[in-house]
């Protein structure tokens, strides 16, 4: 009889643990999905723009206005489409944790990192020659977030916590509306 009670207690304990772990996982993924649903290429102020679609509304992240890479076959529209797809891929694969700067193929880039202080784990886009990577990254996102925003500097590199950025960034009622607050690139 005592063995049956021990077995029953073990089954109940195991079931409770499994239920708790499941609830925690559901809560964490629900928080993420509540915040951001996807990244798309849209328009803002007449220019192609990478936009984060959140439940709070659309958050324009980058307006693509530079023609610097057009001769290489990368119009602002093409850069918007390709970089927005990268944002979406990294988001879908839960790799869009931090934005930072780095070097890839001997070129300065804006990239994703899995942790603050970490190395680049995926390319977002290449910078113009002669650009200050940290300044570009600060300019891209800082203008949309108050001083208490998610900018973190580690030695000479900037790390932007994308989760915090998207929580704090202002949303747009309509993705194609006029806005002076979106960084251009």
């Amino acid at each position: 009889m005592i063995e049956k009670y021990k077995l029953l207690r073990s089954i109940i304990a195991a079931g409770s643990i499994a239920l708790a772990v499941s609830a925690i996982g559901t809560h964490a993924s629900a928080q993420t999905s509540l915040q951001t649903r996807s990244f798309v290429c849209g328009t803002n102020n007449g220019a192609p723009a990478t936009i984060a679609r959140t439940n709070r509304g659309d958050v324009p992240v980058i307006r693509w206005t530079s023609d610097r890479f057009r001769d290489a076959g990368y119009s602002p529209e093409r850069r918007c489409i390709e970089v927005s797809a990268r944002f979406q891929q990294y988001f879908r694969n839960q790799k869009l944790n931090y934005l930072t700067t780095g070097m890839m193929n001997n070129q300065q880039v804006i990239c994703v990192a899995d942790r603050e202080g970490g190395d680049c784990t995926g390319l977002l886009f290449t910078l113009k020659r002669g650009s200050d990577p940290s300044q570009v990254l600060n300019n891209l996102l800082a203008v949309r977030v108050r001083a208490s925003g998610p900018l973190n500097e580690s030695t000479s590199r900037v790390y932007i916590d994308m989760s915090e950025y998207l929580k704090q960034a202002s949303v747009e009622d309509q993705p194609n509306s006029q806005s002076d607050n979106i960084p251009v690139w």
Side-chain angles (χ1 to χ4, degrees):
M1 191 67 145
I2 293 175
E3 291 299 315
K4 285 184 183 179
Y5 286 118
K6 283 184 182 178
L7 180 61
L8 182 59
R9 277 195 316 216
S10 296
I11 291 171
I12 290 171
S16 297
I17 291 170
L19 184 61
V21 168
S22 174
I24 289 168
T26 302
H27 177 70
S29 64
Q31 276 187 325
T32 302
S33 66
L34 283 175
Q35 184 181 352
T36 305
R37 297 187 313 252
S38 65
F39 287 84
V40 298
C41 178
T43 59
N44 181 274
N45 200 20
T50 297
I51 298 170
R53 295 258 160 100
T54 74
N55 285 354
R56 296 187 307 118
D58 288 348
V59 177
V61 179
I62 303 169
R63 268 190 38 228
W64 299 96
T65 60
S66 172
D67 279 327
R68 183 100 183 241
F69 292 92
R70 190 177 291 275
D71 289 344
Y74 291 94
S75 67
E77 294 82 8
R78 181 172 176 191
R79 288 184 64 140
C80 178
I81 290 166
E82 289 188 16
V83 174
S84 298
R86 290 177 190 155
F87 268 93
Q88 179 61 25
Q89 174 189 349
Y90 296 133
F91 171 71
R92 185 178 52 246
N93 294 332
Q94 299 179 358
K95 303 285 185 192
L96 189 60
N97 300 321
Y98 289 88
L99 298 190
T100 191
T101 61
M103 292 289 289
M104 292 183 166
N105 297 324
N106 293 321
Q107 295 183 315
Q108 295 177 334
V109 298
I110 301 294
C111 56
V112 296
D114 60 354
R115 60 183 164 68
E116 188 172 333
D119 292 330
C120 289
T121 57
L123 171 72
L124 281 171
F125 61 93
T126 303
L127 297 174
K128 301 173 198 174
R129 289 206 187 278
S131 297
D132 176 350
S134 293
Q135 188 62 48
V136 169
L137 191 54
N138 276 319
N139 290 345
L140 282 176
L141 302 173
V143 296
R144 299 198 42 84
V145 180
R146 300 200 189 286
S148 64
L151 296 176
N152 298 302
E153 290 200 44
S154 173
T155 61
S156 63
R157 290 173 67 192
V158 174
Y159 288 82
I160 296 178
D161 182 326
M162 281 303 290
S163 177
E164 287 301 312
Y165 168 76
L166 291 171
K167 283 181 196 172
Q168 295 179 27
S170 52
V171 297
E172 225 178 52
D173 292 332
Q174 298 188 13
N176 295 323
S177 68
Q178 300 281 341
S179 176
D180 295 327
N181 295 333
I182 299 174
V184 294
W185 183 249

